[in-house]
Amino acid sequence: MSTLERELLRRMWLVRAFDEAAGRLSGLGEIPGVIHLAIGHEAGIVGACMALEERDYVTGYHRGHGHPLAKGAAPGPLMAELMGKETGVCRGRGGSQHVADPSVNNLVGTAILGAGLPVATGFALSAQVLGEDRVSLVFFGEGAASEGAVHEAMNLASVWRLPVVFLCENNGYQVTVSAKYSISVEDVATRAQGYGMPGVVVDGQDPLAVHEAVTAAVARARAGAGPSLVEAKTYRFHEHAENLPIPAYRPEEEIAAWRARDPLPLFVERLVGAGELTADEAAAIEAAARAEIDDAVAFARESPYPDASEVFEYLYANPEGTRRA
């Protein structure tokens, strides 16, 4: 089995195990606030991030724990961030919906729909102006695809031929509303035509398909040919957010059909069937990933909360008039 395939599988299991653990901790009250899990999205997240170089930027959104992990972030500080701990990647100030890990150039996570695209376009502009060989990739959902900021960002990126890749994780639902009732086209990627950029639809349950599509988009961006839009069709196996009283709105047969296309067992089956991996090797990769996440949970639980005296740190204005040296 190639190094790429093994690492795709390993990181997919990391993302899956991390969000499963986060869901349990949220249910126990150890993670405050609302969290959004990407269980079911792993192939698109990892396939896209592994098409990038270490120097490239990633911008996430509210369902974004997997983005820094897929870029190579350490899970311990990331879990500590969700728990509001001082050892978190944002020192406990960002939490689940605003998580960012500068160590892997995952610089922004935002809960405001579509808000990440103008920021990611700005990262691409800075790379272009400074002559840096960097590409900016931004994740967003199909619900954000109809936000005005999204279209402004795509238009400007195309006009200035900026090195940015727009990656739509289309899971079919905006909370409880089906995309077929809220989006004017069947494929979000169709809208790329209006901005003079390539738009491609890929199977979001296939990490190699996503990796191939994003690799081509990254190469185009790095060569100075401008932006691309990649739409990964996927599905979230959990609710829009954890611990919210949301009535049933998805047909059971639809959920079952998508669960039968779980990207992890599909990828394992594919690799084992091709003789590139044994069942024992696949189980060992999963076990190692789960053990790493167990260690991350232990690290987060043992970490201290920020000191109450620093509650006003990192704000635009500090009413106490003090700042960290």
Side-chain angles (χ1 to χ4, degrees):
M1 180 173 63
S2 73
T3 301
L4 170 63
E5 290 165 334
R6 180 176 292 275
E7 190 61 16
L8 283 168
L9 182 59
R10 188 187 76 85
R11 294 192 191 189
M12 285 169 65
W13 274 122
L14 278 177
V15 174
R16 171 66 59 89
F18 185 97
D19 264 5
E20 287 177 344
R24 291 192 297 271
L25 293 170
S26 175
L28 292 170
E30 295 187 56
I31 293 178
V34 174
I35 67 169
H36 304 76
L37 306 183
I39 295 174
H41 286 223
E42 295 89 353
I45 292 170
V46 176
C49 284
M50 285 196 62
L52 299 171
E53 299 292 340
E54 183 178 346
R55 64 186 180 277
D56 295 330
Y57 298 116
V58 168
T59 302
Y61 65 113
H62 60 274
R63 200 177 305 282
H65 310 152
H67 302 147
L69 281 174
K71 192 70 161 47
L78 189 63
M79 188 64 78
E81 182 61 34
L82 268 60
M83 295 177 71
K85 299 298 187 73
E86 178 70 18
T87 55
V89 290
C90 300
R91 298 189 61 201
R93 273 70 168 181
S96 170
Q97 296 191 62
H98 301 276
V99 70
D101 190 343
S103 72
V104 292
N105 281 323
N106 172 228
L107 299 184
V108 174
T110 174
I112 301 173
L113 289 187
L117 280 81
V119 176
T121 300
F123 290 152
L125 175 61
S126 73
Q128 184 187 76
V129 170
L130 295 173
E132 297 176 339
D133 184 20
R134 297 177 187 255
V135 171
S136 175
L137 184 145
V138 55
F139 290 95
F140 64 105
E142 82 290 340
S146 297
E147 290 286 339
V150 170
H151 300 280
E152 293 170 20
M154 289 185 180
N155 181 66
L156 196 60
S158 187
V159 169
W160 289 346
R161 300 170 72 86
L162 298 178
V164 57
V165 177
F166 301 105
L167 197 294
C168 179
E169 294 180 63
N170 185 346
N171 63 30
Y173 286 89
Q174 296 95 68
V175 188
T176 62
V177 178
S178 171
K180 65 183 179 182
Y181 298 127
S182 60
I183 299 178
S184 61
V185 290
E186 182 176 350
D187 300 319
V188 172
T190 303
R191 294 180 173 173
Q193 299 175 22
Y195 302 108
M197 71 175 76
V200 60
V201 178
V202 294
D203 180 3
Q205 309 306 88
D206 183 345
L208 290 173
V210 177
H211 184 269
E212 181 180 357
V214 176
T215 295
V218 167
R220 181 175 187 271
R222 215 180 293 282
S228 302
L229 171 58
V230 178
E231 177 183 5
K233 301 280 193 180
T234 187
Y235 200 78
R236 53 174 167 78
F237 294 165
H238 282 227
E239 262 308 339
H240 167 71
E242 297 302 288
N243 306 316
L244 290 183
I246 300 176
Y249 58 92
R250 298 187 291 184
E252 288 298 325
E253 57 271 21
E254 176 186 286
I255 297 173
W258 275 99
R259 280 195 172 275
R261 299 199 65 243
D262 186 323
L264 279 153
L266 278 181
F267 196 43
V268 169
E269 181 181 355
R270 176 177 176 178
L271 296 177
V272 172
E276 298 179 357
L277 186 71
T278 67
D280 287 344
E281 288 172 331
I285 290 172
E286 177 185 354
R290 292 191 179 279
E292 189 171 349
I293 299 305
D294 288 343
D295 290 342
V297 171
F299 169 81
R301 280 176 162 164
E302 294 166 1
S303 295
Y305 287 101
D307 192 278
S309 66
E310 299 180 351
V311 67
F312 295 116
E313 293 281 349
Y314 311 111
L315 301 181
Y316 286 110
N318 188 332
E320 295 185 346
T322 60
R323 289 188 178 276
R324 177 183 294 273

